[in-house]
Amino acid sequence: MPIQATTPRIAVVGSANADLIMACAALPRRGETVTAADARWEAGGKGANQAVAAARLGARVAFVGCIGADALGERVRAGLVAEGIDVAALRAVPDRSTGVAAVVVDAQGDNVIVLAPGANAALGRDDVASAASHLRDADIVLCQLETPPAVVAAVLGVAAGGPAVWLNPAPAQPLPETWLARLDLIVPNQSELETLTGIDVRTRDGALRAANDLRGRGAATVVATLGADGALVLDAAGARFSAALRVDAVDTTGAGDCFIGALACARAAGRSLDAAVDFAHGAAALKVTRPGAQAALPTAAEVEAFVAARRSAR
Ligand code: RIB
């Protein structure tokens, strides 16, 4: 079923940042100064990126988060509004600056990111409680860890018996053990999977052992993103690996956010988990061919045309 034929409803509770993006030939080593071709500000943040990804792909999206009461925050808000995202639960915090991420990207499209959370750190239980109707109105609620962990605990409480709650445990940090059984889906990348399990995940075998470890501790469904190696899905039906589409990467920033936004959108539109993972691979592959995080996120029509062109080129 085309995503456009339905209206998936997604709520995102998470971070919104201003990204200062600098493209360099190579990432700096410790103590080294490197020169970037240029520097530009773009909207970012794992939460906002996932929200924009889902909105561009056809979902009705509500965003719950905090920005500073400053010019960067107003740009972030305006960007979300321009995507048609409901920002009624986006709070401007008077005494904090908007979150800023310094994103350095190298010629291979790899990056390092340093985040100053700013107002994201002010998101709390009260914000989640005030946004309860937005959450209960969604098919899926997406959370990440660029905002305080208490936010995820509050979402799990408000959403109990209602929408599915998915967690992207990024940036990597240990989780309260009780969350695993309460989450409907967890979507870590390789380093997050390793942090959560202590298992070396550089091989398929290792990734599978780590995903099984999370299942054994209560996680219903694990979708682990493995970069250029694709993804591993593990649920009650068993484990399966799926390949990523091979592309020449220009910028991998936000590729995981794009994957998650697309996965949520496709699931909420009624696609099976495996079909949704395929759709998410297409969206993320197209994203990495473009520079930037939020600015590079594709529409559903672009993803479908990109995947069809790849198929006919085979
Ligand atoms: O996942 C990419 C995002 O991580 C960037 O947009 C940056 O804001 C950091 O939060």
Side-chain angles (χ1 to χ4, degrees):
M1 183 193 300
I3 302 274
Q4 298 95 318
T6 60
T7 305
R9 296 164 306 165
I10 309 290
V12 179
V13 184
S15 58
N17 297 330
D19 288 355
L20 178 59
I21 303 175
M22 286 168 280
C24 303
L27 301 177
R29 286 165 300 170
R30 179 185 287 244
E32 188 186 19
T33 300
V34 297
T35 303
D38 66 0
R40 63 187 197 281
W41 287 98
E42 270 187 24
K46 296 183 194 307
N49 293 348
Q50 292 171 25
V52 171
R56 284 208 189 140
L57 293 169
R60 197 174 84 204
V61 180
F63 184 73
V64 184
C66 286
I67 49 175
D70 51 20
L72 286 176
E74 278 322 304
R75 275 177 65 178
V76 167
R77 183 195 295 278
L80 295 172
V81 170
E83 300 292 341
I85 294 171
D86 183 335
V87 293
L90 176 64
R91 182 165 66 91
V93 184
D95 52 350
R96 303 270 178 106
S97 54
T98 295
V100 171
V103 181
V104 183
V105 183
D106 72 10
Q108 282 70 50
D110 292 324
N111 63 41
V112 290
I113 300 178
V114 179
L115 171 65
N120 292 302
L123 190 67
R125 291 177 171 277
D126 290 351
D127 295 292
V128 175
S130 306
S133 62
H134 285 106
L135 306 194
R136 293 200 189 108
D137 197 32
D139 301 304
I140 297 170
V141 182
L142 297 178
C143 302
Q144 317 75 32
L145 297 174
E146 284 186 335
T147 48
V151 169
V152 181
V155 169
L156 286 168
V158 166
V165 179
W166 293 11
L167 177 67
N168 168 218
Q173 54 189 276
L175 302 179
E177 200 60 24
T178 53
W179 286 6
L180 288 173
R182 298 172 68 196
L183 291 164
D184 295 277
L185 186 144
I186 185 163
V187 55
N189 69 11
Q190 270 167 310
S191 69
E192 292 145 12
L193 187 57
E194 192 158 317
T195 299
L196 293 178
T197 62
I199 295 171
D200 181 342
V201 300
R202 282 172 296 180
T203 61
R204 276 186 164 212
D205 230 40
L208 188 54
R209 270 189 292 117
N212 268 310
D213 179 78
L214 290 181
R215 278 269 301 162
R217 287 156 56 194
T221 302
V222 181
V223 179
T225 56
L226 306 174
D229 292 332
L232 164 62
V233 175
L234 179 67
D235 61 9
R240 52 267 182 211
F241 284 92
S242 58
L245 302 186
R246 297 271 163 214
V247 289
D248 288 328
V250 167
D251 186 349
T252 57
T253 312
D257 300 328
C258 181
F259 183 96
I260 292 162
L263 186 72
C265 197
R267 279 300 277 152
R271 292 194 187 179
S272 70
L273 181 57
D274 294 308
V277 167
D278 283 345
F279 179 71
H281 277 313
L286 179 51
K287 192 269 133 218
V288 303
T289 64
R290 300 166 167 180
Q294 236 170 76
L297 296 168
T299 64
E302 287 173 333
V303 174
E304 267 145 28
F306 173 73
V307 171
R310 300 271 312 199
R311 263 194 222 113
S312 64
R314 264 192 251 147

